[in-house]
């Protein structure tokens, strides 16, 4: 199947359901994952600055942990230009990236996905709720979480639709926390679904932090999505863009929208983004920007 966002045929599960071919194993640890996970780790670590417990709701959880040294990761080798570069350069990394590195410790040759990264930074009083729709990946995710004994009592893994379940989870009983929405962008209407889900969730829980990932393959589609998020009276929105090269095969640019960024994320990003951008740059046109889309 030709993937409009990654710009190449994606190997994956059977051809049965066109929406369910995506497997994150092919892309784990690539530059887009690095940016998303570095920001996720910062947000979770910032939430732990206050003693009160919080919830992390991860709507598209993936398979949990990815073997970078065999199988799909070895076919694409995308991780080499992502986490491979970042780990090789980590001695010069800004201190703000410590939570990200800390959450990966001990995973030799394997890369933890968003539920593991977040869960490992959380405390006994915090709670993690994760959805994954692909039945095989949901089973892998459950097994990966079962391997993290310390996390188990405060983790719920649900095999199901993350968009639908999100609206049942907000506001969380803790009234503090973070929603990560990281869809595969396989379906043509993914930007619309993402925008609708965020707007509805924000209506139910305006105080929550929302971290939204998206590819910037079609600049007009990404800009229309960002504009849509801005037109619903949502305050305190940051936008991050990271480009590893000006153009060419495959994904070159990725975006994040962060609603209610947990303090002091904006300052931390000013330190982290220049370093990440220089380490991940693959050629001319590489760069980043950090924009405020809505005031606090
Ligand atoms: C980009 S991957 C997630 C990666 C993960 N968040 C991480 O950072 O490690 C997207 C995942 O969403 C799953 N998925 C697709 N549609 C979904 C839906 N409606 N609800 C929940 N999961 C879905 C896919 O099977 C895939 O595993």
């Amino acid at each position: 199947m030709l993937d409009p966002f990654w710009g190449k045929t994606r190997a994956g599960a059977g051809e049965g359901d066109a929406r369910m071919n995506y497997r994150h194993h092919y892309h784990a640890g690539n530059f887009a994952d690095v940016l998303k996970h570095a920001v996720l780790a910062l947000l979770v670590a910032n939430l732990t600055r206050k003693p009160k417990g919080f919830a992390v709701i991860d709507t598209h959880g993936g398979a949990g942990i990815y073997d970078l040294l065999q199988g799909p990761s070895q076919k694409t080798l995308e991780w080499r230009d992502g986490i491979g570069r970042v780990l090789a350069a980590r001695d010069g990394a800004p201190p703000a990236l410590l939570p990200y590195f800390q959450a990966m410790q001990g995973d030799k040759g394997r890369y933890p996905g968003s539920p593991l990264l977040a869960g490992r930074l959380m405390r006994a009083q915090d709670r993690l709720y994760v959805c994954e729709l692909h039945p095989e990946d949901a089973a892998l995710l459950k097994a990966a979480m079962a391997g993290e004994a310390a996390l188990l009592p405060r983790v719920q893994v649900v095999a199901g639709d993350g968009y639908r379940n999100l609206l049942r989870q907000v506001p969380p009983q803790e009234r503090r926390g973070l929603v990560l929405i990281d869809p595969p962008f396989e379906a043509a209407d993914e930007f619309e679904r993402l925008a609708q889900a965020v707007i509805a969730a924000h209506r139910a829980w305006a105080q929550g932090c929302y971290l939204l990932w998206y590819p910037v393959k079609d600049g007009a589609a990404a800009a229309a999505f960002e504009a849509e998020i801005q037109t619903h009276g949502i305050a305190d929105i940051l936008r991050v863009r990271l480009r590893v090269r000006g153009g060419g095969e495959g994904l070159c640019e990725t975006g994040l929208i962060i609603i209610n960024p947990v303090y002091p994320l904006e300052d931390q990003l000013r330190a982290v983004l220049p370093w990440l951008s220089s380490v991940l740059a693959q050629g001319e046109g590489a760069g980043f920007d950090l924009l405020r889309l809505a005031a606090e």
Side-chain angles (χ1 to χ4, degrees):
M1 172 191 173
L2 188 67
D3 184 305
F5 290 103
W6 293 83
K8 63 183 177 196
T9 301
R10 238 192 253 191
E15 292 294 315
D17 180 352
R19 282 182 172 231
M20 293 304 294
N21 284 326
Y22 181 92
R23 307 297 300 278
H24 197 61
H25 301 75
Y26 290 87
H27 310 294
N30 68 6
F31 79 90
D33 250 13
V34 166
L35 175 69
K36 167 181 65 194
H37 292 154
V39 173
L40 174 68
L42 278 168
L43 288 168
V44 174
N46 291 349
L47 281 164
T48 65
R49 289 179 176 208
K50 289 191 182 160
K52 190 174 182 306
F54 59 85
V56 170
I57 299 166
D58 186 344
T59 59
H60 295 66
I65 193 142
Y66 305 92
D67 194 336
L68 300 181
L69 302 180
Q70 55 189 337
S73 296
Q74 275 297 306
K75 284 194 183 148
T76 58
L77 293 175
E78 287 185 15
W79 62 272
R80 282 196 182 165
D81 280 330
I83 192 60
R85 287 181 181 219
V86 165
L87 289 180
R90 74 175 279 183
D91 286 350
L97 281 177
L98 273 178
Y100 180 40
F101 293 131
Q102 189 191 327
M104 279 188 269
Q105 237 163 20
D107 286 321
K108 288 205 171 60
R110 299 192 311 160
Y111 185 75
S114 53
L116 262 74
L117 284 165
R120 288 172 178 175
L121 295 169
M122 292 164 72
R123 309 156 300 177
Q125 64 268 45
D126 308 323
R127 185 171 61 87
L128 176 62
Y129 174 93
V130 196
C131 270
E132 169 55 48
L133 188 58
H134 194 297
E136 275 176 48
D137 284 350
L140 289 171
L141 177 57
K142 281 185 183 167
M145 292 321 252
E148 308 266 322
L151 292 183
L152 268 186
R154 50 211 167 83
V155 175
Q156 187 183 358
V157 179
V158 173
D161 184 340
Y163 287 126
R164 214 166 284 159
N165 287 321
L166 169 62
L167 296 179
R168 300 186 184 123
Q169 293 298 315
V170 289
Q173 70 207 22
E174 295 84 355
R175 303 278 165 160
R176 291 187 75 216
L178 158 73
V179 173
L180 167 64
I181 312 185
D182 179 21
F185 282 87
E186 235 182 346
D189 64 350
E190 194 84 71
F191 271 124
E192 286 83 4
R193 291 191 81 195
L194 174 55
Q196 278 167 17
V198 176
I199 291 158
H202 186 269
R203 236 173 246 144
W205 187 35
Q207 298 74 24
C209 172
Y210 295 82
L211 173 60
L212 320 176
W213 180 89
Y214 53 99
V216 186
K217 187 81 181 173
D218 173 347
F225 165 68
E226 293 163 357
E228 176 67 12
I229 298 292
Q230 280 178 280
T231 52
H232 293 269
I234 300 177
D236 203 1
I237 311 178
L238 288 182
R239 186 201 81 174
V240 176
R241 291 273 195 97
L242 180 73
R243 264 176 324 284
V244 291
R245 56 184 186 278
E249 261 289 288
L251 188 70
C252 306
E253 182 169 356
T254 178
L256 293 175
I257 279 189
I258 309 141
I259 300 172
N260 296 324
V262 187
Y263 181 82
L265 185 80
E266 196 168 351
D267 293 336
Q268 293 165 326
L269 288 178
R270 288 188 210 292
V272 162
L273 288 173
W275 185 83
L276 272 185
S277 173
S278 77
V279 167
L280 297 172
Q282 293 175 22
E284 234 171 88
F288 71 93
D289 58 57
L290 172 62
L291 264 187
R292 183 157 271 285
L293 297 187
E296 284 176 50

